[in-house]
Amino acid sequence: MEVIIQPTADAAALLVARLIAKHLRAKPSLVLGLATGRTMERVYEYLTEMHRREKLDFSLCRTFNLDEYVGLPPNDPHSYRYYMDRHLFSRVNIDRRNTHLPNGAARDLAAECRHYEELIRDCGGIDLQLLGIGADGHIGFNEPLSALRSRTREKALTPATIRQNAPLFGGKISAVPRRALTMGVGTILEARRILMLVTGAEKATILAKAVEGPMTAMVTATALQLHPDCKVIVDEAAAKRLRGKAYYRWIFKNEPEWQEFRAAPSIRRARSRRSR
Ligand code: GLP
């Protein structure tokens, strides 16, 4: 695992977008694992900008999202399918048939989860998986005590996660679905590369547990410590409680693989969306 500290949330999101763009240019048919949440919105804005200004090409890219709420049809404005359409798919030249999310409105949810795993396998596995982190340390919707070898399945959300996601449902806790379909921790760990983005002071404690704490199913993000190619990109606010900060900074300053990312980039997020 590598932790890279950036000065701001914006810079951290831009670095994640640049890393995704680099892999997409190297392999246009990249199988990209995608995540939702407020943290990811900036990444998708930057990818949209790169598509517009630098002709970043998504035409052959295939995507698999981590999760979806149970009971919400894809056209529900609170569904993750809707989120992805709004923040990325409708803004770049991706072929919608190449974009996949588990269907939370499927009649047989267990069959839907098995089918999702098969689809990932049929595409040759995920090349690069993007991740955020929940307040309780979940990745996808792998809530505390999810097996570290779990596969795509239906999962009950914790009251804390329901509260955390309520702002996206107009603040109405009762409107947040109680269950979700999510890739398992084992599914996520099979991705060839993992990129986790964590920003904001409110994530500082859970980030320190996830990255530097002992591995435990109580914090499913700790399973990422097992992954041979996992990069965790954070801002200063989220990095506040990390013990190894000096070393992480040294890595970014000195390791050759980061050289091209140390130079100031020219890309900016679209002005209209920056005011949020
Ligand atoms: C949800 C998603 C996670 C995401 C988390 C954090 O729980 N299932 O994949 O990482 O939200 O969201 P935010 O970025 O809004 O803090």
Side-chain angles (χ1 to χ4, degrees), residues 221-267:
T222 59
L224 299 174
Q225 295 171 21
L226 286 171
H227 197 278
D229 192 340
C230 176
K231 295 179 177 17
V232 183
I233 316 292
V234 307
D235 66 352
E236 287 287 353
K240 209 170 75 185
R241 295 190 188 281
L242 295 175
R243 287 191 300 265
K245 267 200 266 189
Y247 173 59
Y248 310 148
R249 289 193 216 286
W250 188 92
I251 296 275
F252 188 64
K253 259 196 189 140
N254 295 287
E255 284 293 286
E257 73 162 310
W258 292 107
Q259 192 182 347
E260 65 188 285
F261 298 103
R262 289 196 284 268
S266 58
I267 192 102

Coordinates of all heavy atoms in Angstrom, one line a residue, residues 221-267:
A221 N -12.1 -1.7 5.2 CA -11.0 -1.1 4.4 C -9.7 -1.6 4.8 O -8.7 -1.5 4.1 CB -11.1 0.4 4.5
T222 N -9.5 -2.1 6.0 CA -8.2 -2.7 6.5 C -7.8 -3.8 5.6 O -6.6 -4.1 5.5 CB -8.2 -3.1 8.0 OG1 -9.2 -4.1 8.2 CG2 -8.5 -1.9 8.9
A223 N -8.7 -4.5 4.9 CA -8.4 -5.6 4.1 C -7.5 -5.2 2.9 O -6.8 -6.0 2.3 CB -9.6 -6.3 3.6
L224 N -7.5 -3.9 2.6 CA -6.7 -3.4 1.5 C -5.2 -3.5 1.8 O -4.4 -3.5 0.9 CB -7.1 -1.9 1.2 CG -8.5 -1.6 0.8 CD1 -8.8 -0.1 0.7 CD2 -8.9 -2.3 -0.5
Q225 N -4.9 -3.7 3.0 CA -3.5 -3.9 3.4 C -2.9 -5.2 2.8 O -1.7 -5.3 2.7 CB -3.3 -3.9 4.9 CG -3.7 -2.6 5.6 CD -3.7 -2.7 7.1 OE1 -3.2 -3.6 7.7 NE2 -4.4 -1.8 7.8
L226 N -3.8 -6.1 2.4 CA -3.4 -7.3 1.8 C -3.1 -7.2 0.3 O -2.5 -8.0 -0.3 CB -4.5 -8.4 1.9 CG -4.8 -9.0 3.2 CD1 -6.1 -9.8 3.1 CD2 -3.7 -9.9 3.6
H227 N -3.6 -6.0 -0.3 CA -3.5 -5.9 -1.8 C -2.1 -5.5 -2.2 O -1.6 -4.6 -1.7 CB -4.6 -4.9 -2.2 CG -4.9 -5.0 -3.7 ND1 -4.1 -4.5 -4.6 CD2 -5.8 -5.7 -4.4 CE1 -4.5 -4.8 -5.8 NE2 -5.6 -5.5 -5.7
P228 N -1.6 -6.2 -3.3 CA -0.3 -5.9 -3.7 C -0.1 -4.5 -4.5 O 1.0 -4.1 -4.6 CB 0.1 -7.0 -4.7 CG -1.2 -7.6 -5.1 CD -2.2 -7.3 -4.0
D229 N -1.2 -3.9 -4.9 CA -1.1 -2.7 -5.7 C -2.2 -1.7 -5.3 O -3.2 -1.5 -6.1 CB -1.1 -2.9 -7.2 CG -0.6 -1.7 -8.0 OD1 -0.7 -0.6 -7.4 OD2 -0.2 -1.9 -9.1
C230 N -2.1 -1.2 -4.1 CA -3.2 -0.3 -3.6 C -2.6 1.1 -3.3 O -1.7 1.2 -2.5 CB -3.9 -0.9 -2.4 SG -5.1 0.2 -1.6
K231 N -3.2 2.1 -3.9 CA -2.7 3.5 -3.6 C -3.8 4.2 -2.9 O -5.0 4.1 -3.4 CB -2.3 4.2 -4.9 CG -1.1 3.6 -5.6 CD -0.9 4.3 -6.9 CE 0.3 3.9 -7.7 NZ 0.9 2.6 -7.4
V232 N -3.5 4.9 -1.9 CA -4.5 5.6 -1.1 C -4.2 7.1 -1.2 O -3.1 7.5 -0.8 CB -4.5 5.2 0.4 CG1 -5.6 5.9 1.1 CG2 -4.7 3.7 0.5
I233 N -5.0 7.9 -1.9 CA -4.7 9.3 -2.1 C -5.6 10.1 -1.2 O -6.8 9.9 -1.1 CB -5.1 9.7 -3.6 CG1 -4.6 8.6 -4.6 CG2 -4.6 11.1 -3.9 CD1 -3.1 8.5 -4.8
V234 N -5.0 11.0 -0.4 CA -5.7 11.7 0.6 C -5.3 13.2 0.6 O -4.3 13.6 0.1 CB -5.4 11.1 2.0 CG1 -5.6 9.6 2.0 CG2 -3.9 11.4 2.5
D235 N -6.1 14.0 1.3 CA -5.8 15.4 1.4 C -5.2 15.6 2.8 O -5.2 14.7 3.7 CB -6.9 16.3 1.1 CG -8.1 16.2 2.1 OD1 -8.0 15.3 3.0 OD2 -9.0 17.0 2.1
E236 N -4.6 16.8 3.1 CA -4.0 17.1 4.4 C -5.0 16.9 5.5 O -4.6 16.3 6.6 CB -3.5 18.5 4.4 CG -2.2 18.7 3.6 CD -1.0 18.1 4.2 OE1 -1.0 17.6 5.4 OE2 0.1 18.1 3.5
A237 N -6.2 17.3 5.3 CA -7.2 17.2 6.4 C -7.4 15.7 6.8 O -7.5 15.4 8.0 CB -8.5 17.8 6.0
A238 N -7.6 14.9 5.8 CA -7.8 13.4 6.1 C -6.6 12.8 6.7 O -6.6 11.8 7.5 CB -8.3 12.7 4.9
A239 N -5.4 13.3 6.3 CA -4.1 12.7 6.8 C -3.7 13.1 8.2 O -2.8 12.5 8.7 CB -3.0 13.2 5.8
K240 N -4.5 13.9 8.8 CA -4.1 14.5 10.1 C -3.7 13.5 11.2 O -2.8 13.7 11.9 CB -5.3 15.3 10.7 CG -4.9 16.4 11.6 CD -6.1 17.3 11.9 CE -7.0 16.6 12.9 NZ -8.3 17.4 13.2
R241 N -4.3 12.3 11.2 CA -4.0 11.3 12.3 C -3.1 10.2 11.8 O -2.9 9.2 12.5 CB -5.3 10.7 12.8 CG -6.2 11.8 13.5 CD -7.3 11.2 14.2 NE -8.2 12.2 14.7 CZ -8.0 12.9 15.8 NH1 -6.9 12.8 16.5 NH2 -8.8 13.9 16.1
L242 N -2.5 10.3 10.6 CA -1.6 9.3 10.2 C -0.2 9.4 10.8 O 0.4 10.5 10.9 CB -1.4 9.3 8.6 CG -2.7 9.1 7.8 CD1 -2.4 9.3 6.3 CD2 -3.2 7.7 8.0
R243 N 0.3 8.3 11.3 CA 1.6 8.3 12.0 C 2.7 8.4 11.0 O 3.8 9.0 11.3 CB 1.7 7.1 12.9 CG 0.9 7.1 14.1 CD 1.3 6.0 15.1 NE 1.1 4.7 14.4 CZ 0.1 3.9 14.6 NH1 -0.9 4.3 15.3 NH2 0.0 2.8 14.0
G244 N 2.5 7.8 9.8 CA 3.7 7.7 8.9 C 3.8 8.8 7.9 O 4.4 8.7 6.8
K245 N 3.2 10.0 8.2 CA 3.1 11.1 7.2 C 4.4 11.5 6.6 O 4.4 11.7 5.4 CB 2.5 12.3 7.9 CG 1.0 12.5 7.8 CD 0.6 13.9 8.1 CE 0.2 14.1 9.5 NZ -0.4 15.4 9.8
A246 N 5.5 11.6 7.4 CA 6.7 12.0 6.8 C 7.2 11.0 5.7 O 7.7 11.4 4.7 CB 7.8 12.1 8.0
Y247 N 7.0 9.8 6.0 CA 7.5 8.7 5.0 C 6.6 8.8 3.8 O 7.1 8.7 2.6 CB 7.3 7.3 5.7 CG 7.6 6.2 4.7 CD1 8.8 6.1 4.0 CD2 6.6 5.2 4.5 CE1 9.0 5.0 3.2 CE2 6.8 4.2 3.6 CZ 8.0 4.1 3.0 OH 8.2 3.0 2.1
Y248 N 5.3 9.0 3.9 CA 4.4 9.1 2.8 C 4.8 10.3 1.9 O 4.7 10.2 0.7 CB 2.9 9.2 3.2 CG 2.5 8.1 4.2 CD1 1.5 8.4 5.2 CD2 3.1 6.9 4.2 CE1 1.1 7.5 6.1 CE2 2.7 5.9 5.2 CZ 1.7 6.2 6.1 OH 1.3 5.3 7.0
R249 N 5.1 11.4 2.6 CA 5.5 12.6 1.8 C 6.8 12.3 1.0 O 7.0 12.7 -0.1 CB 5.7 13.8 2.7 CG 4.5 14.3 3.3 CD 4.8 15.7 3.9 NE 4.0 15.9 5.1 CZ 2.7 16.2 5.2 NH1 2.1 16.3 4.0 NH2 2.1 16.4 6.3
W250 N 7.7 11.6 1.7 CA 9.0 11.3 1.1 C 8.8 10.4 -0.2 O 9.4 10.7 -1.2 CB 9.9 10.5 2.1 CG 11.3 10.3 1.6 CD1 12.4 11.1 1.9 CD2 11.7 9.2 0.8 NE1 13.5 10.6 1.2 CE2 13.1 9.5 0.5 CE3 11.2 8.1 0.2 CZ2 13.9 8.6 -0.2 CZ3 11.9 7.3 -0.6 CH2 13.3 7.5 -0.8
I251 N 7.9 9.5 -0.1 CA 7.6 8.6 -1.3 C 7.1 9.5 -2.5 O 7.6 9.3 -3.6 CB 6.4 7.6 -0.9 CG1 6.8 6.7 0.2 CG2 5.9 6.9 -2.2 CD1 7.6 5.4 -0.3
F252 N 6.2 10.4 -2.2 CA 5.7 11.2 -3.3 C 6.7 12.1 -3.9 O 6.8 12.3 -5.1 CB 4.5 12.0 -2.9 CG 3.8 12.7 -4.0 CD1 3.1 12.0 -5.0 CD2 3.7 14.1 -4.1 CE1 2.5 12.6 -6.1 CE2 3.1 14.7 -5.2 CZ 2.5 14.0 -6.2
K253 N 7.6 12.6 -3.1 CA 8.7 13.5 -3.5 C 9.8 12.8 -4.3 O 10.4 13.3 -5.2 CB 9.3 14.2 -2.3 CG 8.8 15.6 -2.1 CD 9.8 16.3 -1.2 CE 9.1 17.6 -0.8 NZ 9.4 18.0 0.6
N254 N 10.0 11.5 -3.9 CA 11.2 10.8 -4.4 C 11.1 9.7 -5.3 O 11.9 9.3 -6.1 CB 12.1 10.4 -3.2 CG 12.6 11.6 -2.5 OD1 13.5 12.3 -2.9 ND2 12.0 11.9 -1.3
E255 N 9.9 9.0 -5.2 CA 9.8 7.7 -6.0 C 9.6 8.1 -7.5 O 8.7 8.9 -7.8 CB 8.6 6.9 -5.5 CG 8.9 6.2 -4.2 CD 10.0 5.1 -4.4 OE1 9.7 4.0 -4.9 OE2 11.1 5.3 -3.9
P256 N 10.3 7.4 -8.4 CA 10.3 7.8 -9.8 C 8.9 7.6 -10.4 O 8.5 8.4 -11.2 CB 11.2 6.7 -10.5 CG 12.1 6.2 -9.4 CD 11.4 6.4 -8.1
E257 N 8.1 6.7 -9.9 CA 6.7 6.5 -10.5 C 5.8 7.7 -10.3 O 4.8 7.9 -11.0 CB 6.0 5.2 -9.9 CG 5.5 5.4 -8.5 CD 4.5 4.3 -8.2 OE1 3.5 4.1 -8.9 OE2 4.7 3.7 -7.1
W258 N 6.2 8.6 -9.3 CA 5.3 9.8 -9.1 C 5.8 11.0 -9.8 O 5.2 12.1 -9.7 CB 5.2 10.0 -7.5 CG 4.4 8.9 -6.9 CD1 4.9 7.9 -6.1 CD2 3.0 8.7 -7.0 NE1 3.9 7.1 -5.7 CE2 2.7 7.5 -6.3 CE3 2.0 9.3 -7.7 CZ2 1.4 7.0 -6.2 CZ3 0.7 8.8 -7.6 CH2 0.4 7.6 -6.8
Q259 N 7.0 10.9 -10.4 CA 7.6 12.1 -11.0 C 6.7 12.9 -11.9 O 6.5 14.1 -11.8 CB 8.8 11.7 -11.8 CG 9.7 12.9 -12.2 CD 10.9 12.5 -13.0 OE1 11.2 11.3 -13.1 NE2 11.5 13.4 -13.6
E260 N 6.0 12.2 -12.8 CA 5.1 12.9 -13.8 C 3.9 13.5 -13.1 O 3.3 14.4 -13.7 CB 4.6 11.9 -14.9 CG 3.7 10.8 -14.3 CD 3.3 9.8 -15.3 OE1 2.5 10.0 -16.2 OE2 3.9 8.6 -15.2
F261 N 3.6 13.1 -11.9 CA 2.5 13.7 -11.2 C 2.8 14.8 -10.2 O 2.0 15.4 -9.6 CB 1.7 12.6 -10.4 CG 1.2 11.5 -11.3 CD1 1.8 10.3 -11.4 CD2 0.1 11.8 -12.1 CE1 1.3 9.3 -12.2 CE2 -0.4 10.8 -12.9 CZ 0.2 9.6 -13.0
R262 N 4.2 15.1 -10.1 CA 4.6 16.1 -9.2 C 4.4 17.5 -9.9 O 4.3 18.5 -9.2 CB 6.0 15.9 -8.7 CG 6.1 14.8 -7.7 CD 7.4 14.8 -7.0 NE 8.6 14.3 -7.8 CZ 9.0 13.0 -7.9 NH1 8.4 12.1 -7.1 NH2 10.0 12.7 -8.6
A263 N 4.5 17.5 -11.2 CA 4.4 18.8 -11.9 C 3.0 19.3 -11.8 O 2.1 18.6 -11.8 CB 4.8 18.6 -13.4
A264 N 2.9 20.7 -11.7 CA 1.5 21.3 -11.6 C 0.7 21.0 -12.9 O 1.2 21.3 -14.0 CB 1.7 22.8 -11.4
P265 N -0.4 20.4 -12.8 CA -1.3 20.1 -13.9 C -2.0 21.4 -14.4 O -2.2 22.3 -13.6 CB -2.2 19.1 -13.4 CG -2.3 19.4 -11.9 CD -1.1 20.1 -11.5
S266 N -2.4 21.4 -15.7 CA -3.1 22.6 -16.2 C -4.6 22.4 -16.1 O -5.3 23.4 -16.2 CB -2.6 22.8 -17.7 OG -3.0 21.6 -18.4
I267 N -5.1 21.2 -16.0 CA -6.5 21.0 -16.1 C -7.2 21.6 -14.8 O -6.7 21.5 -13.7 CB -6.8 19.5 -16.2 CG1 -8.3 19.2 -16.6 CG2 -6.5 18.7 -14.9 CD1 -8.4 18.9 -18.0

